[in-house]
Amino acid sequence: MSKIIIINSLRFILLILLQVLVLNNVNLGGYINPYVYVMFVLLLPFETPKWLLLLSAFLIGLSIDLFMGSMGMHAAATTFMAFLRPSVSRIIHSRREYEPSIKPGINDLGIKWFLSYTLLLVFAHHTLLFFIEAFRFEEFFSILNRIFLSTIVSSLLIILLNLLVKKERK
Amino acid sequence: MKALLLFIWKHSFFFMFLVLEGLAAFFIVSNNSYQRTSFINASNGFTSSILSASNSFTHYIGLTETTERLAHENARLRQLLPASQIRKIDDGFVIDSSNVNQHYRFQAAEIISNSFQKRNNYLILNKGILAKVKPSMGVVSAEGIVGIVKDVSKNFCTVISVLHSKSAIDVKIQRNGYTGTLKWDGKDYNYAKVMNIPSHVHLELGDTITTSGNSSIFPNNITVGTIDKFDLKKGASFYDIQLGFSANYNKVRFVYIVDNTLKEELQELKNMTVDE
């Protein structure tokens, strides 16, 4: 139990540092910025109490906000994403039942499951984030474009990271 | 009452979600730059010191390029020195330094956090109250203008970038002096729009656009960019002008904070005239 808490706290800190120090300086094609830190919310164990799921998502969003000077925007998006997480994991079917020992990830549930799980939740996160950031509907299509492209890039990076970590463990 | 509490308890997940989103919304409205301006959060203590440490590392890696840029600028400035110029017709006019006052003071600063890909962009510089930086001073780089100081903490200050939906800068066409306003449309950090240039003005592609010196923030004749495209719609009284920035906001590292030493005097004079 305490091992799970330590792993997740470490992941919390490392993902924030990765996002703030490396990825925030990455900018593809002028307007795609990948937000990989949301991986923290994706990888929280299934048996996490629901209140803790929301609260930790809110906290990691708020930490990113502190670094980026965008108070509240990321917090709102990550909380929304955490709120959707139980429903999304119920909708997507996997080869195996969700047992207490199973963790969300490619390891236990396969690439197909993880891909759809990641794409859906990252899309929800990016949609809310980019619309709050623009705060208007005038530039609707350019925002939509940003959402789709960024979702794809973020999801790819998250899956790559997941694969890397998987290899190391074996 | 009991039924209500029971209802809330049963749907506690949903209500907690609402509470946290409400909190986030409160933060957004009360703190955010665009929705309302107060950016001081990011220029405070802990986060700034981490960003600053990371920057000293990336700056080290980019040293070669930075040195080159600075050397280039030095060369350009050297050209402007009286010693490297010669008077074509000697009319005996001598610049007496006791007749000249420093109007603008420049102070070098380093960018420790930069953004250019959002709709509203900000920078953080490593100079603050201790370096006598005050809000609404101009910020320029060797290549062009950068922005205007917004909030100042002890060691840092935040800057509203030119790449911001609220920024409007007085500019002019260097060749003929017609003035207009610079606005950023949020699409590409290399381009912006110049408004209010009347249709009778003759324009050419590549015309240099500089600051006009009408505002008391930027000195006159600081380069902003060149005309990249222009178009006159039928019946319109103003041009649609697209400007290509001379500065690459992706790469700016070192900037100058501009202090207009006569700003207060100017402001007093303006107030006097308005009161009458």
Side-chain angles (χ1 to χ4, degrees):
Chain A
M1 184 63 200
S2 61
K3 198 181 150 202
I4 292 176
I5 294 176
I6 292 171
I7 287 179
N8 277 289
S9 313
L10 270 178
R11 197 183 280 144
F12 186 94
I13 295 167
L14 286 179
L15 280 174
I16 289 177
L17 290 179
L18 174 72
Q19 182 66 44
V20 175
L21 299 182
V22 182
L23 290 169
N24 280 355
N25 300 317
V26 174
N27 186 46
L28 304 166
Y31 51 68
I32 306 171
N33 7 31
Y35 291 114
V36 167
Y37 76 93
V38 298
M39 187 174 164
F40 172 76
V41 181
L42 295 176
L43 295 188
L44 282 172
F46 284 120
E47 60 270 28
T48 315
K50 281 180 167 185
W51 63 270
L52 189 61
L53 177 68
L54 282 179
L55 195 67
S56 46
F58 181 77
L59 284 179
I60 196 167
L62 203 63
S63 319
I64 295 286
D65 279 328
L66 277 174
F67 278 102
M68 299 185 67
S70 58
M71 278 312 279
M73 292 184 193
H74 284 270
T78 45
T79 311
F80 178 60
M81 180 185 162
F83 176 70
L84 292 182
R85 202 187 98 150
S87 326
V88 168
S89 60
R90 216 175 303 128
I91 293 169
I92 312 170
H93 297 286
S94 68
R95 289 171 293 148
R96 292 167 67 180
E97 292 292 311
Y98 301 128
E99 294 153 16
S101 60
I102 283 188
K103 295 189 198 77
I106 300 175
N107 264 350
D108 291 349
L109 292 159
I111 182 100
K112 215 172 132 195
W113 180 89
F114 193 67
L115 184 67
S116 28
Y117 173 76
T118 306
L119 275 176
L120 278 173
L121 287 176
V122 170
F123 178 69
H125 173 271
H126 285 21
T127 306
L128 195 66
L129 179 69
F130 287 146
F131 274 112
I132 295 177
E133 192 186 284
F135 215 65
R136 63 172 109 185
F137 286 94
E138 284 160 34
E139 297 154 3
F140 186 81
F141 287 101
S142 94
I143 296 173
L144 219 57
N145 202 12
R146 279 182 67 167
I147 292 172
F148 279 117
L149 292 174
S150 295
T151 301
I152 291 168
V153 176
S154 300
S155 303
L156 274 179
L157 282 174
I158 288 173
I159 285 167
L160 273 178
L161 262 175
N162 208 273
L163 284 172
L164 274 176
V165 175
K166 179 189 167 189
K167 249 185 191 166
E168 272 173 19
R169 270 189 202 150
K170 273 184 179 173
Chain B
M1 189 63 201
K2 204 180 160 196
L4 179 70
L5 281 177
L6 222 86
F7 178 75
I8 292 181
W9 180 247
K10 212 175 145 196
H11 300 274
S12 61
F13 182 53
F14 181 66
F15 280 102
M16 186 163 174
F17 166 67
L18 283 188
V19 168
L20 288 177
E21 287 292 0
L23 201 60
F26 171 75
F27 283 145
I28 291 174
V29 173
S30 58
N31 278 313
N32 260 322
S33 40
Y34 179 52
Q35 283 80 354
R36 213 181 292 167
T37 36
S38 149
F39 190 59
I40 204 77
N41 278 311
S43 56
N44 267 344
F46 179 65
T47 55
S48 293
S49 57
I50 289 192
L51 290 174
S52 182
S54 129
N55 256 53
S56 61
F57 176 68
T58 48
H59 281 191
Y60 184 72
I61 291 181
L63 266 184
T64 328
E65 199 191 328
T66 310
T67 332
E68 209 170 289
R69 274 161 180 258
L70 290 177
H72 196 76
E73 199 197 358
N74 276 342
R76 194 177 62 83
L77 292 177
R78 248 168 216 282
Q79 276 180 35
L80 298 178
L81 282 178
S84 42
Q85 288 164 349
I86 192 160
R87 207 174 292 282
K88 279 187 194 155
I89 306 162
D90 195 351
D91 55 1
F93 177 71
V94 180
I95 297 176
D96 180 356
S97 64
S98 64
N99 285 337
V100 182
N101 259 335
Q102 193 75 35
H103 187 177
Y104 292 98
R105 209 172 285 139
F106 287 73
Q107 176 169 209
E110 207 176 327
I111 297 175
I112 63 165
S113 161
N114 185 10
S115 80
F116 49 88
Q117 66 273 65
K118 289 188 250 175
R119 180 64 185 93
N120 296 297
N121 294 289
Y122 292 88
L123 308 120
I124 303 177
L125 309 183
N126 67 345
K127 290 280 159 75
I129 294 170
L130 292 180
K132 300 206 175 89
V133 177
K134 288 186 206 115
S136 78
M137 282 183 178
V139 177
V140 302
S141 76
E143 286 93 11
I145 59 167
V146 172
I148 296 167
V149 174
K150 165 93 181 66
D151 290 311
V152 188
S153 68
K154 207 168 144 205
N155 293 305
F156 301 100
C157 65
T158 56
V159 175
I160 300 185
S161 168
V162 179
L163 308 177
H164 190 289
S165 60
K166 290 276 164 66
S167 95
I169 286 157
D170 290 332
V171 292
K172 69 172 183 204
I173 300 167
Q174 197 178 35
R175 196 162 46 81
N176 53 25
Y178 278 97
T179 58
T181 310
L182 180 85
K183 281 277 193 184
W184 188 55
D185 54 7
K187 294 207 176 94
D188 186 329
Y189 66 85
N190 288 314
Y191 301 101
K193 297 253 178 293
V194 180
M195 333 280 264
N196 301 338
I197 301 281
S199 58
H200 61 82
V201 180
H202 174 72
L203 296 178
E204 265 168 42
L205 289 179
D207 271 353
T208 307
I209 308 270
T210 65
T211 53
S212 70
N214 283 355
S215 73
S216 48
I217 295 171
F218 293 106
N220 200 354
N221 281 328
I222 300 255
T223 312
V224 177
T226 51
I227 296 183
D228 181 62
K229 245 187 332 203
F230 65 87
D231 182 32
L232 188 61
K233 292 220 173 70
K234 224 176 180 183
S237 46
F238 297 109
Y239 277 106
D240 292 327
I241 302 177
Q242 177 164 301
L243 162 139
F245 283 119
S246 54
N248 182 349
Y249 294 108
N250 192 341
K251 287 205 161 166
V252 183
R253 282 267 153 89
F254 292 93
V255 293
Y256 302 102
I257 300 172
V258 187
D259 179 11
N260 182 351
T261 54
L262 304 179
K263 191 173 187 177
E264 272 155 30
E265 186 184 328
L266 254 171
Q267 201 56 48
E268 264 170 43
L269 190 67
K270 269 187 196 159
N271 291 345
M272 234 188 277
T273 318
V274 172
D275 286 346
E276 291 296 307

